[in-house]
Amino acid sequence: MESKNFYGPVTALEFLYHNLLLAGRGNVLSIYNWRSGLLLKEYKLFEQNKIKGFAVGRNNILLWGGKSFAFVSLSALLEDAKIRELVCHDWIMTCRFDNNDQPFILTAHNQLLRVDKTLARFDLSFSGIDSILYSGDIFIENNRILVAAGTVLGGIEIWSPSGSTSMIKLEGHEGSIFGVYFSPDGKKVVSCSDDRAIRVWNIGSKLCEAIGWGHLARIWNVKFFKELIISTSEDNTTRTWIVNGGKLEVEQVWEGHSGRSIWSLALCSDPSNIFATGGADGRIRLWDSELKQTIDLNRKIISFQEIADSTSQKVGIKHYFESSKSYVFSAISGALLDYSLQYNKWNVVYSDETLRGYSIIKPWKEVRYTSIGNRNGEVTVLNLDHPEIRVCLRPLEKNIGKVMDIVTLKHDNLLYLLVQYDKLQSSWALHILDSSNTEHGHTQLNPLYSSLIERPMTFPISVAMLLEDTGVIIVASRFGALALLSGSVEKGYKILKCWRRVISEDAITSLVRISRETFDILITSRNGSYLVCNICFSEGEVDLSSIHLNRLPKGSIEGSAFIQNEFIFWGFRSNYFFVWNETQQTEIMSEVCGGPHRHWLFKLEQDFHYTFMYTKSSSICITTNTDFPKFFERSIIQDGSHGREIRSLAVSPLRMLDNSILLASGAEDTCIRLTSVQSNGSIRNICVLRKHVSGIQEIKWSIDGEYMFSSSAREEFFAWKVTLRGEQVFLYPVASAPIESEVPDLRVMDFVTKKIDEARYIIACVYSDSTIKVFLFNTVMRTIYLICSGKYKMTCIFKVIGLFIENGFYLVIGSSDGYISYWDLSFIVDSLRMTSVDNELPRYDFPAMKSGIKIHQNSIRAMITIKSPFSVENDNIISILSGGDDNSIALTELHLDLEKLIKTDSIEDAHASTVTDLIQLGSGEVLSSAVDQMIKLWNISDDSQKLIKAGEHYTIVSDTGCLEIGAMDVGKVILLIAGAGLDIAFIHN
C-alpha cells in the first residue's frame, strides 16, 4: 500500500527565492513554482507527523512538525535528496537560523535548543519560565536572540537566552495565545488569542499599542505585513488591518477557502505584495494585496455633471452599455452619447425629442447596433457608427402604450427584437431585420417580419435566447416561467409551450446554452439557484427535462456564462456585486456598489477580462481588469476537497470520459462534492451540491450509477438522477423521503437501496432514535413514499445491511447497544412483484425482530457482509464483519434457516481506538480503518470464520472515518481514505 496524494489541511507555507513556494500537506513537502502554478517536486518527509513550519538558512531548510524535524539542503531541494527524520524530546513550536547559519528550536516547554547539524543532536539549551506554549517566535539580529512565548494561560513571555533582556510578561489576552510574531526590527510583537482579539505590543514599554476584533471565530495566524497586520482564522477569512490610534481596523477581507479554518500563511518578499494561504480544505491560494488598490486607481468615475459639461446635454443618464471599447449612454434629454475611455472623448450619436425623459435602450452584443424604445411605443434600430442607417418600428396596434422592455437576439445577419409594452398585456411584438444588404459601402437594415405574438398570462419578459439551429426563441419571465416561441418569417411565430415555476417564482435572470451537441440550457434564478435543463424536440413535440439543480453559497444571481467548461455567475450579496466561479469554487471579483437597486452593467470576456459599470451618487463607475500586472498564472496552485470532516465516500459504477473514477463525498459542511480521481491519484473537482442543510451522513450509488442517494440530519434523504455530459456530471434531486415530524431533528444514519424492477427501488433507512423506515422509490412518478416503519429499542442505529436473496429481503442492523439484529421483510418484495408500477403499495405493519445478539461492548460503527473465496455457496449462511467503539472487529454468522445469529470470532484489540469502517478489498481480504489512523489488512480464513492480520498502513488523515476503493488499471486499486482530509493510496496486487 502506497500513499500517493493527500488533500487535507495545509499546515505550513513558505516562499523561497523569487519563484518557489514550499507547502506542508500532511507529512508531504510539496514544492511549487508559484509564478507558473506548477508542482515541481514532492517528498514524503515524516512517518506520522504533519509538517508545521519551515525555517530557511543560508544552505539548508529546517522543517518541523510535532516532535519531528529534518534538514534539507537548498542545493538538493529539487533533486531526489535523502531526508533523515530527526526527533526532539518535546513538541516543536518554531525554529530559526542565526546569522552564522546555526539552527535553534523552541519547544512547547519554553526551551530554546541549539542544534548541531553535523551530529544531529542538541549541543546547548536555554530555558525561559516553565510554561506550556501554544505558539512562539524567535528573533535573531547579529548576536542578539529574543524569544516570544505564547502561553496556554494567555500571557506572552519575552526572554533572551543570554540574559541581556530581562523577562518581559505581556498580559491582556483572555485565552490561549495561538499566534505570536516579532516585527522585522524586533521592537514589537503581534499576537492573537482564543479571545478572538489581535494585539500589537511594544516590547520596550511593555504596553499594548493597538487592539482589534473582527474575525468571527478563533484566529490561528498573525504577522506584520509591510505597514499592516495580516491574520487568518477559523472563520475561513484572511484579513489585513491598519493601526489607527489605539485600534486595529480591518482594511480588507479575503475569502477563498471552503469549510472551516485557514491554517497557514506565508508572505513573499519579492514582490512584497504577494502572500499565500493554505486551508483545511487542502487548497493553496495566492493573493495580490495591492489588487484592490490597483482596481481603485484604474476605476473611472464619470459624474453626470461631467457628461453634461462635455456634451451640452441635460444632466441625467438612464441606460448605458459597452460596445467595441466605447460606452454608449442614453440621456434624459433624448440624446444617445458615445464615450471613448481610451481617448476620453464624447460624441453625440443620435438625438430624438421622443426620447426626452423616457427611453429603453438595448444593444446587440456582437454588432454596433442598438434598439431604442420610447413612450409612444416606437422602437428605433440604428447603427452606432453610422446613425443615418436606422429603422423606426412603429406600434402594431393603437394605444399600445410605452415600450417597457426589449430583448435583442442575433443569428447570422438577422436581428431579432422582442418588445413588451405597458398597456398591451396580452401580446408581444416580434420584429426581425436583415442587416446583410449593403449600399454605398454601408450595411442597410431591411425589416423582414413584424407581428404581435400572443403571450402567456402574467409573463413579463426578463431574458431570452435563440437556438440558432432550430430557430426557436426561449423566453423567460420575471415570475420564473419559461416559454418557447417557434416559427419562421414565412409561416409566422407562435408560443409552442410554456412551463411555470421552472426553478421558483423568482425572476429568471439568464439563459446560456452550454452544449452544441445537445440542447442543454443553463437557467439562473434571482433566488440564488441555477438549473441545467435539456430541451428535447421529437416528432413535433417538445419536452423540458431538468438534469441539474444547485444554488450558490450565498447571494442572488443576475447573470451567468459558461467559459472554458466552467460555470461563472454574478449577482449581489447585500451591498456587494460579486462574480463567482462555481466550477473552481472561488470568487473572481467583488465590488462595494451599494446593492442591486441601481442601473448596472457587467460584461465578461472569454479570457475572463471583465467590465463592471454602475450608477452611484449621480456618477457612473467603470471597473475593469484588462491592464493589471499579473504576478502569477493561477491564483489556485493546489486545489483541495472539503474543509470539514468527510463522513462518506462513494465510487460510482460509471466512469468519466477519460476513464477516471467518479467519486462522491459528503462532509460536515453539508455539501456533496463530485470529484474525478485520475490514474495518478490526482483529483479534479467537478461540482459541489448544496441541497442538504445539515451534515451529510451517507452517500450511495445505484448499482447501474443511474441514481445517487444521500442522507443527513433533519431526516433528509434525497434521490438524485445522474446525467454525464463529457467532463460535466449533472445531478437533479428527483425525490425526497417524506418527513412526518413537525420538528425534524433525527439523523438518517444509514440506508440501503435495491432496484426491484426498471422503475422501482426499495429503500430502507435507519435513524438516530432507533426508527427503521422502508420506502418505495418510483422513478417514473418521481416519488418516495413510506411502506412500513418500526422501532428497534431506544438506541441509535448506526448501520444497516439489506440482504436480497432470491425472493427474500432481510434487514440487518448494528446499533449503539452493541447488538446485531435482523428482520424478515420478504413480504414487501412479494407485494411489489404483484403490483404494477402505477399503483402504490399499502402501508404495512412492521414485523417482529427475528433475532439479535450482542457482539460489541458498545456502538457498532462499521458493518459489512463478507465472503471467502473458499467458502461453500450457501445462501442460508451470511458472514457479517463488524467494528465498534470497543476497538474490536468481530465475525458473526446469520443462519437464515435457523433464524439465528452466531458470533464466530472477535479480535478484541484490532485497533487502538474506535473502528470506523470496513471494506472488502478483494476475494478473501478486508481493510479496516480506525480513529488511530491505522489502515489494517485482514485475510479471511478458508471457512470465513476467522480473520488474520496481514499488514497495516498509517494514514496522515486524522479523524479517519470512511474507506472506499476503485479499480483503476489491471493490478492497481485506488484506496480512498477520508476524515479530516482525503488520502489517496495505491494497492498493488
Side-chain angles (χ1 to χ4, degrees):
M1 195 180 304
E2 172 195 6
S3 286
K4 192 65 179 177
N5 278 304
F6 173 71
Y7 297 93
V10 180
T11 49
L13 289 171
E14 184 70 35
F15 285 97
L16 182 66
Y17 304 134
H18 71 286
N19 64 336
L20 298 184
L21 179 65
L22 312 181
R25 301 170 56 226
N27 59 355
V28 173
L29 167 63
S30 300
I31 306 169
Y32 301 90
N33 182 322
W34 63 266
R35 293 183 183 271
S36 66
L38 297 177
L39 175 64
L40 304 178
K41 192 72 178 178
E42 284 192 324
Y43 297 95
K44 181 182 176 183
L45 206 63
F46 303 138
E47 281 300 315
Q48 297 190 357
N49 287 319
K50 296 181 174 69
I51 300 170
K52 290 296 182 70
F54 305 96
V56 180
R58 285 201 299 266
N59 301 308
N60 294 279
I61 299 173
L62 174 55
L63 309 92
W64 72 88
K67 294 183 178 181
S68 299
F69 67 100
F71 291 96
V72 179
S73 169
L74 287 171
S75 60
L77 188 62
L78 297 177
E79 300 174 3
D80 294 324
K82 291 185 178 179
I83 302 173
R84 178 184 174 191
E85 180 179 356
L86 306 172
V87 179
C88 182
H89 61 276
D90 196 1
W91 294 94
I92 300 172
M93 293 292 102
T94 190
C95 302
R96 196 76 72 221
F97 286 90
D98 69 6
N99 300 329
N100 299 315
D101 211 31
Q102 174 67 55
F104 287 84
I105 291 176
L106 178 65
T107 71
H109 283 83
N110 210 5
Q111 254 193 328
L112 186 67
L113 308 175
R114 192 173 72 183
V115 185
D116 186 321
K117 298 192 298 292
T118 306
L119 300 177
R121 63 179 177 82
F122 306 112
D123 60 0
L124 196 60
S125 68
F126 310 91
S127 297
I129 293 178
D130 190 14
S131 303
I132 303 297
L133 309 188
Y134 262 8
S135 60
D137 193 23
I138 305 169
F139 175 78
I140 300 177
E141 185 179 54
N142 299 325
N143 295 320
R144 177 179 172 233
I145 299 177
L146 282 180
V147 174
T151 68
V152 172
L153 300 178
I156 300 168
E157 298 170 0
I158 311 292
W159 60 279
S160 172
S162 64
S164 58
T165 301
S166 58
M167 201 281 291
I168 298 170
K169 194 161 188 178
L170 306 175
E171 294 182 324
H173 282 294
E174 296 180 359
S176 300
I177 308 298
F178 292 141
V180 61
Y181 202 78
F182 280 105
S183 63
D185 60 6
K187 295 180 180 180
K188 296 180 181 181
V189 292
V190 62
S191 59
C192 58
S193 165
D194 198 13
D195 63 7
R196 304 185 184 183
I198 297 174
R199 290 177 179 263
V200 179
W201 309 84
N202 187 303
I203 297 174
S205 66
K206 306 178 187 178
L207 296 177
C208 177
E209 291 188 339
I211 183 172
W213 287 270
H215 282 290
L216 304 178
R218 291 174 292 183
I219 305 166
W220 303 129
N221 290 285
V222 63
K223 294 183 179 183
F224 289 94
F225 182 42
K226 299 185 292 186
E227 288 76 34
L228 305 171
I229 304 295
I230 188 168
S231 60
T232 68
S233 167
E234 188 180 27
D235 68 7
N236 238 17
T237 67
T238 302
R239 298 172 188 249
T240 50
W241 309 72
I242 57 174
V243 178
N244 186 3
K247 295 182 179 179
L248 285 171
E249 297 177 351
V250 176
E251 187 251 1
Q252 196 173 349
V253 180
W254 285 271
E255 297 180 74
H257 295 271
S258 60
R260 186 171 65 187
S261 288
I262 297 175
W263 289 116
S264 52
L265 170 69
L267 309 179
C268 185
S269 58
D270 181 23
S272 61
N273 55 299
I274 303 300
F275 66 92
T277 56
D281 57 358
R283 175 176 283 187
I284 301 174
R285 282 288 311 254
L286 292 172
W287 307 90
D288 179 0
S289 65
E290 295 179 358
L291 181 59
K292 181 178 180 295
Q293 181 182 354
T294 306
I295 291 173
D296 291 343
L297 291 174
N298 283 272
R299 183 180 293 109
K300 177 69 175 178
I301 299 177
I302 309 170
S303 70
F304 288 179
Q305 189 60 52
E306 179 185 342
I307 297 174
D309 294 341
S310 301
T311 61
S312 301
Q313 298 294 320
K314 187 176 179 180
V315 176
I317 296 297
K318 298 295 293 182
H319 304 280
Y320 41 79
F321 61 90
E322 185 187 24
S323 178
S324 300
K325 304 302 180 181
S326 71
Y327 301 92
V328 181
F329 302 83
S330 65
I332 61 174
S333 63
L336 203 62
L337 312 174
D338 187 86
Y339 171 66
S340 170
L341 186 63
Q342 182 180 1
Y343 300 106
N344 192 27
K345 183 180 178 181
W346 289 90
N347 178 38
V348 178
V349 175
Y350 177 71
S351 184
D352 189 336
E353 282 296 316
T354 64
L355 303 176
R356 183 179 292 273
Y358 181 85
S359 63
I360 296 289
I361 177 171
K362 290 293 179 71
W364 281 267
K365 294 180 181 179
E366 300 88 353
V367 290
R368 290 273 290 175
Y369 281 97
T370 191
S371 62
I372 313 167
N374 65 21
R375 65 175 68 254
N376 301 325
E378 298 170 333
V379 178
T380 300
V381 179
L382 63 85
N383 186 311
L384 292 169
D385 295 322
H386 303 280
E388 68 278 6
I389 302 174
R390 61 180 181 268
V391 170
C392 182
L393 304 171
R394 303 195 181 280
L396 301 178
E397 280 190 7
K398 292 182 179 180
N399 301 319
I400 205 167
K402 63 184 178 182
V403 176
M404 290 296 295
D405 203 358
I406 305 171
V407 176
T408 58
L409 304 168
K410 181 181 180 294
H411 177 50
D412 292 334
N413 294 312
L414 298 182
L415 305 180
Y416 294 72
L417 298 91
L418 196 59
V419 186
Q420 183 170 285
Y421 305 92
D422 69 331
K423 291 185 179 179
L424 190 62
Q425 298 296 320
S426 60
S427 300
W428 300 316
L430 175 64
H431 302 278
I432 304 176
L433 295 86
D434 186 356
S435 64
S436 62
N437 295 326
T438 59
E439 186 176 322
H440 306 299
H442 300 313
T443 300
Q444 300 298 308
L445 293 172
N446 178 29
L448 295 181
Y449 179 86
S450 291
S451 176
L452 290 177
I453 307 294
E454 185 177 352
R455 70 171 187 172
M457 293 295 293
T458 61
F459 203 108
I461 299 175
S462 56
V463 292
M465 73 173 296
L466 177 67
L467 297 178
E468 293 92 345
D469 37 0
T470 65
V472 169
I473 300 172
I474 306 175
V475 186
S477 91
R478 298 184 187 276
F479 297 138
L482 208 64
L484 293 191
L485 189 59
S486 180
S488 64
V489 171
E490 294 78 15
K491 297 181 180 180
Y493 286 81
K494 65 178 181 178
I495 297 293
L496 185 62
K497 197 148 186 182
C498 179
W499 298 273
R500 301 286 181 177
R501 288 181 58 88
V502 175
I503 300 179
S504 70
E505 290 184 350
D506 290 293
I508 292 175
T509 54
S510 68
L511 300 167
V512 177
R513 186 173 179 179
I514 63 174
S515 172
R516 292 297 167 188
E517 290 74 31
T518 59
F519 296 111
D520 290 343
I521 310 297
L522 172 63
I523 305 171
T524 62
S525 171
R526 188 157 286 152
N527 71 358
S529 300
Y530 64 94
L531 174 77
V532 177
C533 66
N534 177 260
I535 300 176
C536 180
F537 299 92
S538 176
E539 298 179 355
E541 295 294 322
V542 61
D543 188 36
L544 182 76
S545 60
S546 299
I547 60 176
H548 190 75
L549 179 65
N550 207 355
R551 59 182 172 86
L552 297 194
K554 48 189 173 183
S556 65
I557 303 177
E558 299 293 339
S560 64
F562 189 65
I563 300 175
Q564 299 175 22
N565 228 25
E566 296 181 353
F567 289 94
I568 313 295
F569 301 99
W570 52 87
F572 292 91
R573 183 171 65 243
S574 184
N575 62 339
Y576 279 82
F577 176 82
F578 70 91
V579 183
W580 174 260
N581 187 320
E582 174 72 354
T583 304
Q584 293 192 18
Q585 294 291 296
T586 185
E587 190 174 86
I588 295 173
M589 67 85 73
S590 65
E591 174 120 347
V592 179
C593 65
H597 303 293
R598 65 199 61 251
H599 192 69
W600 61 274
L601 173 75
F602 180 75
K603 183 178 180 181
L604 184 66
E605 305 288 352
Q606 291 292 315
D607 58 1
F608 291 98
H609 286 153
Y610 63 78
T611 300
F612 178 47
M613 301 173 62
Y614 59 95
T615 303
K616 186 176 182 181
S617 303
S618 298
S619 297
I620 297 169
C621 303
I622 304 175
T623 299
T624 65
N625 69 336
T626 53
D627 300 316
F628 293 174
K630 196 171 183 181
F631 298 99
F632 41 81
E633 292 295 320
R634 301 202 302 261
S635 61
I636 302 173
I637 63 171
Q638 175 62 59
D639 212 343
S641 184
H642 299 270
R644 299 288 298 275
E645 287 81 359
I646 299 172
R647 294 303 184 200
S648 181
L649 295 174
V651 168
S652 169
L654 304 176
R655 286 298 184 97
M656 298 296 292
L657 197 62
D658 58 0
N659 201 40
S660 59
I661 289 172
L662 175 58
L663 173 69
S665 58
E668 287 186 356
D669 59 5
T670 76
C671 296
I672 297 173
R673 187 177 286 260
L674 294 180
T675 304
S676 166
V677 183
Q678 309 296 315
S679 59
N680 62 357
S682 64
I683 65 172
R684 178 180 66 86
N685 288 316
I686 299 170
C687 71
V688 175
L689 302 173
R690 302 182 183 89
K691 177 70 173 174
H692 286 277
V693 297
S694 54
I696 307 298
Q697 291 293 134
E698 197 66 57
I699 300 173
K700 294 177 182 178
W701 300 86
S702 62
I703 194 168
D704 54 6
E706 187 177 0
Y707 289 91
M708 186 186 79
F709 304 94
S710 60
S711 71
S712 72
R714 297 182 61 84
E715 301 180 38
E716 291 181 331
F717 178 89
F718 298 117
W720 306 76
K721 181 72 171 68
V722 182
T723 305
L724 267 62
R725 293 276 202 267
E727 295 182 2
Q728 301 293 336
V729 180
F730 298 128
L731 287 97
Y732 184 79
V734 293
S736 61
I739 298 174
E740 298 179 343
S741 309
E742 290 186 7
V743 183
D745 59 353
L746 302 177
R747 287 170 291 162
V748 183
M749 303 299 297
D750 194 14
F751 60 87
V752 291
T753 65
K754 173 65 176 179
K755 189 173 185 179
I756 300 301
D757 51 40
E758 289 305 311
R760 294 178 295 182
Y761 288 79
I762 288 179
I763 299 168
C765 299
V766 293
Y767 294 76
S768 54
D769 71 339
S770 214
T771 298
I772 304 169
K773 292 184 179 182
V774 181
F775 301 95
L776 186 69
F777 171 39
N778 189 313
T779 62
V780 176
M781 306 298 293
R782 292 192 165 187
T783 57
I784 296 176
Y785 62 90
L786 186 65
I787 300 174
C788 64
S789 67
K791 205 150 189 174
Y792 167 56
K793 291 180 182 177
M794 297 298 291
T795 59
C796 176
I797 305 174
F798 282 101
K799 289 295 174 183
V800 62
I801 295 173
L803 301 175
F804 296 86
I805 302 169
E806 293 184 353
N807 295 323
F809 170 34
Y810 304 91
L811 211 59
V812 184
I813 66 163
S815 53
S816 59
D817 59 1
Y819 275 75
I820 292 179
S821 311
Y822 91 99
W823 287 259
D824 185 352
L825 301 177
S826 301
F827 66 92
I828 295 176
V829 178
D830 295 338
S831 298
L832 276 173
R833 292 195 171 119
M834 297 171 60
T835 309
S836 68
V837 173
D838 299 330
N839 296 328
E840 285 193 7
L841 288 181
R843 182 82 65 92
Y844 296 104
D845 293 330
F846 200 77
M849 183 177 69
K850 286 292 184 181
S851 179
I853 183 174
K854 189 172 182 65
I855 302 297
H856 293 272
Q857 293 299 312
N858 37 41
S859 299
I860 296 174
R861 297 287 185 166
M863 188 172 69
I864 60 172
T865 59
I866 61 169
K867 184 169 286 189
S868 166
F870 309 104
S871 59
V872 179
E873 291 291 337
N874 187 346
D875 287 340
N876 286 315
I877 302 176
I878 309 297
S879 294
I880 299 171
L881 186 65
S882 58
D885 277 341
D886 58 1
N887 308 347
S888 70
I889 295 177
L891 265 171
T892 305
E893 284 187 348
L894 168 57
H895 293 255
L896 295 175
D897 51 349
L898 303 176
E899 297 185 352
K900 190 175 183 180
L901 287 154
I902 302 171
K903 184 177 182 179
T904 61
D905 189 25
S906 180
I907 303 172
E908 298 301 324
D909 295 312
H911 283 270
S913 56
T914 299
V915 178
T916 55
D917 205 3
L918 298 161
I919 192 166
Q920 185 149 6
L921 177 61
S923 182
E925 293 180 322
V926 172
L927 290 171
S928 63
S929 66
V931 178
D932 62 6
Q933 296 179 238
M934 297 303 298
I935 309 299
K936 296 191 177 183
L937 176 66
W938 308 86
N939 287 333
I940 307 169
S941 64
D942 295 356
D943 56 3
S944 295
Q945 293 190 344
K946 295 287 182 182
L947 284 178
I948 303 162
K949 182 180 171 182
E952 63 182 29
H953 169 78
Y954 179 83
T955 177
I956 201 64
V957 174
S958 57
D959 294 326
T960 313
C962 49
L963 302 173
E964 181 63 302
I965 56 173
M968 183 57 72
D969 299 317
V970 177
K972 183 172 73 174
V973 172
I974 284 187
L975 172 65
L976 304 156
I977 308 162
L982 178 65
D983 188 5
I984 300 177
F986 288 172
I987 301 174
H988 301 280
N989 294 339

